[in-house]
Amino acid sequence: MKALGPFRLSLRNNGFLHLDGGAMFGTVPKVMWEKWMAPDGENRIPLATWSLLVDAGERRFMVDVGTGAHWPEKLRRIYAVESRPDAEDGFDPGSVTDVVISHLHFDHAGGLFARKPGTEGDIELRFPKAKIYVQAAHLENARHPNPHERMSFLRKTLTALDRSNLVLTEGSEEIFPGIRVHRSDGHTRGLQWVEVRGGGTAVAFPSDMIPFSHHVALPYTMGYDINVEKLLAEKEDFLNRALAGDWTVVFEHDPDVAAARLKRDDKGRIAVSSFVNL
Ligand SMILES: [Zn+2]
């Protein structure tokens, strides 16, 4: 738990999934990335699914919600999904008043719902009363996905949103005093990254713009990104702002370094400086 101006911030890991290491590191050769993250026998590496929790007095914000616990056996096996039960650490989804979804890929938004016990495939909402914030352009994208991204969306996520208290955002918006979302289009069209300001600095949640701390290196992107050239420009802008403002940056999928500050290294590149415990 960390105080930031009027807010109290913390992180929760909603569990793990395992994706192909080559897809996670794009053009980075395996001889490099396997030294940072050892792959399993299927060439997969573990991804955490950190949520940022922001306590703001009467309101409690949660940024992204993990994979959820509704996975059919086949997909559970492919991605080795290990979702963490809310009861395990006493996490109460009912305490969350506002859920900000960076984008609707299954590892970020699947946790909006659970399987309804005793039914074939019906769902129940994990946050039935909360406001759910999604960029309008991204919702449109998820309703009509391009072939590159289609596998990343679950149809039931849209069903869950239809039953939710949905708030559509557009571009950069302050959704609460001190909490701002920003649009990015490089990883997927209409991703929103989140900036929480307080005490003269900020904590930022770039989501899949920078999934692991290793991706702070500007050229390292993922095979999943839809527009790498755009992502590089957006990421460079983000990193420059984070460095200038001495922000703490959350790496949503990093199992080892969940949050860190940045520095410029002796070659002039932006790099991870010190780990931060949230
Ligand atoms: Zn992701």
Side-chain angles (χ1 to χ4, degrees), residues 25-34 36 220:
F25 282 106
T27 55
V28 181
K30 186 176 179 183
V31 291
M32 290 171 67
W33 64 253
E34 71 180 352
W36 311 326
Y220 297 176

Side-chain angles (χ1 to χ4, degrees), residues 193-232:
W193 60 270
V194 182
E195 175 190 359
V196 184
R197 291 211 145 269
T201 183
V203 171
F205 190 97
S207 176
D208 276 348
M209 284 169 66
I210 311 179
F212 293 151
S213 56
H214 307 287
H215 292 95
V216 165
L218 190 59
Y220 297 176
T221 58
M222 292 191 284
Y224 303 106
D225 301 326
I226 59 156
N227 187 332
V228 172
E229 209 169 11
K230 195 167 232 169
L231 177 65
L232 291 174

Side-chain angles (χ1 to χ4, degrees), residues 12 53 60 62 86-87 89-97 126-127:
R12 176 181 197 262
L53 288 158
R60 186 175 212 210
M62 182 173 188
D86 290 333
D89 59 335
F91 173 66
D92 174 17
S95 68
V96 176
T97 58
R126 186 164 166 226
F127 306 94

Side-chain angles (χ1 to χ4, degrees), residues 18 41-42 46-47 68 83 110 124-125 127 154 192 208 232 235 266 268 270 278:
H18 296 74
E42 308 288 348
L47 280 74
S83 66
E124 62 186 10
L125 299 180
F127 306 94
L154 303 177
Q192 57 187 358
D208 276 348
L232 291 174
K235 191 170 145 182
D266 46 14
I270 295 180
L278 286 182

Side-chain angles (χ1 to χ4, degrees), residues 216 243 261-266 268-274:
V216 165
L243 184 67
R261 287 205 183 80
L262 306 177
K263 65 175 181 188
R264 215 169 266 288
D265 69 11
D266 46 14
R269 299 171 303 203
I270 295 180
V272 166
S273 164
S274 52

Side-chain angles (χ1 to χ4, degrees), residues 18 20 24 39 63 102 147 162 193 267:
H18 296 74
D20 187 89
M24 283 305 293
V63 185
S102 69
D162 284 342
W193 60 270
K267 291 186 177 135

Side-chain angles (χ1 to χ4, degrees), residues 6-132:
F7 304 119
R8 290 164 69 83
L9 272 55
S10 57
L11 294 174
R12 176 181 197 262
N13 186 9
N14 295 279
F16 292 91
L17 70 157
H18 296 74
L19 296 180
D20 187 89
M24 283 305 293
F25 282 106
T27 55
V28 181
K30 186 176 179 183
V31 291
M32 290 171 67
W33 64 253
E34 71 180 352
K35 290 194 188 115
W36 311 326
M37 302 185 82
D40 67 11
E42 308 288 348
N43 208 46
R44 296 174 302 193
I45 53 175
L47 280 74
T49 54
W50 294 106
S51 288
L52 176 64
L53 288 158
V54 183
D55 284 295
E58 309 264 285
R59 306 266 289 270
R60 186 175 212 210
F61 291 77
M62 182 173 188
V63 185
D64 280 356
V65 294
T67 57
H70 42 71
W71 287 71
E73 186 48 38
K74 185 177 162 201
L75 289 176
R76 185 178 290 277
R77 208 164 5 95
I78 292 174
Y79 299 117
V81 176
E82 302 160 10
S83 66
R84 182 184 188 193
D86 290 333
E88 189 183 294
D89 59 335
F91 173 66
D92 174 17
S95 68
V96 176
T97 58
D98 299 78
V99 175
V100 182
I101 296 293
S102 69
H103 62 301
L104 294 164
H105 289 171
F106 61 72
D107 49 327
H108 301 257
L112 285 173
F113 61 95
R115 197 176 343 165
K116 197 171 194 171
T119 68
E120 269 304 293
D122 204 2
I123 62 168
E124 62 186 10
L125 299 180
R126 186 164 166 226
F127 306 94
K129 296 202 184 108
K131 288 184 182 169
I132 315 281

Side-chain angles (χ1 to χ4, degrees), residues 137-213:
H138 185 66
L139 182 59
E140 196 51 33
N141 185 24
R143 286 206 169 113
H144 309 284
N146 62 64
H148 183 74
E149 285 187 87
R150 186 165 291 132
M151 279 281 283
S152 300
F153 294 110
L154 303 177
R155 190 161 290 279
K156 284 180 181 167
T157 305
L158 295 175
T159 311
L161 288 178
D162 284 342
R163 297 185 198 167
S164 297
N165 186 1
L166 184 62
V167 180
L168 293 178
T169 52
E170 282 184 42
S172 279
E173 262 188 50
E174 191 166 55
I175 58 169
F176 184 81
I179 304 179
R180 187 170 274 281
V181 297
H182 302 268
R183 178 174 168 174
S184 151
D185 294 301
H187 174 65
T188 180
R189 187 154 50 86
L191 177 147
Q192 57 187 358
W193 60 270
V194 182
E195 175 190 359
V196 184
R197 291 211 145 269
T201 183
V203 171
F205 190 97
S207 176
D208 276 348
M209 284 169 66
I210 311 179
F212 293 151
S213 56

